[in-house]
Amino acid sequence: MEQYKKDFIDFMVQSKVLKFGSFTLKSGRKSPFFMNAGGYVTGSQLSRLGEFYAHAIHDNFGDDFDLLFGPAYKGIPLAVATVIAYSRLYGKEIRYCSDRKEAKDHGADKGLLLGSEIRAGDRIVIIEDVTTSGKSIDETMPVIMSQAEDKDKLTIVGEMVSLNRMEKGLDTDKSALDSITGRYGFPARAIVTMEEVIEHLYKPGGDGVITDGIKKELDAYYAEWGARK
């Protein structure tokens, strides 16, 4: 596993964004872990978070893209932090764009978009915190396409989230990220997977973050809800 992935896993735990215990998800499932990207609230946390995203995007998609789209609301700070980090780490200026929940009807920046416009020929990476069912992309894609100057010349390079939960969706045996790729044809990736999280944090018989008891609960959860590979 790459060092930046190990560092990111430790970062999630230290920031209290990734927690282990008993949690009821929006889907109704009882999960032994929970991840909430809204827990990144300080300047140093957002700076580091942007660097992790930039590193993962660079590793997975390279430099051949122009725009980073972060769906409202959580995608807005993610997009801003990541374009700043991308410029600092890789010396390339990437524009950011987000949508508003309600279009602004006045001022020079009126309309549905915040940040950059979407231009004909843009190559776009979508950035989100985490997706469990993959349904959010079904709301994001129409926004991007409706605001494009020429949708036929637009390319979605891929989507990047922070954590791949690796569990099946509500109506499929595939993971949310695999379902997105199947529906839209572009790669959907994560900085880390839960498999990598467990590999890094579980120390058999020890007192690591993932204890033997938590590991047993995770194994049972994935036996029931794990996605088909």
Side-chain angles (χ1 to χ4, degrees):
M1 189 192 317
E2 296 91 330
Q3 185 61 47
Y4 82 90
K5 292 187 176 186
K6 297 178 183 179
D7 292 342
F8 180 62
I9 294 168
D10 291 336
F11 173 64
M12 285 194 291
V13 173
Q14 291 161 5
S15 301
K16 296 181 171 55
V17 165
L18 178 62
K19 299 179 180 181
F20 297 91
S22 179
F23 306 92
T24 300
L25 304 180
K26 188 176 181 180
S27 64
R29 296 175 186 172
K30 303 291 185 180
S31 173
F33 70 96
F34 186 73
M35 184 267 179
N36 174 27
Y40 301 116
V41 295
T42 70
S44 61
Q45 286 175 334
L46 289 170
S47 178
R48 290 197 68 196
L49 181 61
E51 291 176 353
F52 287 122
Y53 266 104
H55 199 153
I57 289 170
H58 187 268
D59 274 7
N60 283 272
F61 306 133
D63 283 328
D64 190 16
F65 69 103
D66 313 289
L67 184 72
L68 193 60
F69 187 90
Y73 289 105
K74 287 183 179 179
I76 297 174
L78 294 181
V80 172
T82 303
V83 294
I84 293 172
Y86 211 93
S87 174
R88 182 171 64 249
L89 294 177
Y90 302 110
K92 181 171 182 178
E93 296 290 6
I94 304 297
R95 299 166 7 246
Y96 97 90
C97 177
S98 297
D99 59 321
R100 293 183 169 101
K101 291 296 186 181
E102 295 181 0
K104 185 179 179 183
D105 61 4
H106 63 280
D109 62 340
K110 66 181 181 181
L112 188 63
L113 299 182
L114 178 69
S116 173
E117 62 184 352
I118 299 176
R119 303 170 185 168
D122 270 344
R123 293 175 58 80
I124 299 174
V125 172
I126 300 168
I127 184 171
E128 291 195 90
D129 57 346
V130 66
T131 180
T132 300
S133 67
K135 299 294 185 183
S136 60
I137 197 70
D138 296 331
E139 300 175 356
T140 299
M141 286 298 292
V143 171
I144 293 175
M145 293 304 176
S146 70
Q147 298 299 307
E149 293 180 0
D150 187 342
K151 64 182 66 178
D152 292 332
K153 294 183 180 179
L154 207 63
T155 301
I156 306 298
V157 175
E159 179 182 26
M160 182 62 64
V161 303
S162 59
L163 176 66
N164 181 355
R165 290 183 59 98
M166 300 180 68
E167 60 188 80
K168 57 188 177 183
L170 299 179
D171 54 1
T172 177
D173 286 337
K174 294 183 179 180
S175 71
L177 297 186
D178 286 343
S179 295
I180 289 170
T181 299
R183 289 202 301 278
Y184 293 102
F186 56 77
R189 302 285 185 263
I191 302 176
V192 294
T193 68
M194 271 306 295
E195 184 176 43
E196 290 169 327
V197 169
I198 295 168
E199 175 189 337
H200 182 59
L201 295 180
Y202 175 54
K203 304 296 186 290
D207 57 354
V209 174
I210 296 180
T211 62
D212 288 339
I214 294 174
K215 178 62 163 55
K216 185 177 180 179
E217 292 175 0
L218 287 165
D219 289 344
Y221 184 77
Y222 280 104
E224 182 173 6
W225 299 113
R228 176 173 55 84
K229 295 183 179 179

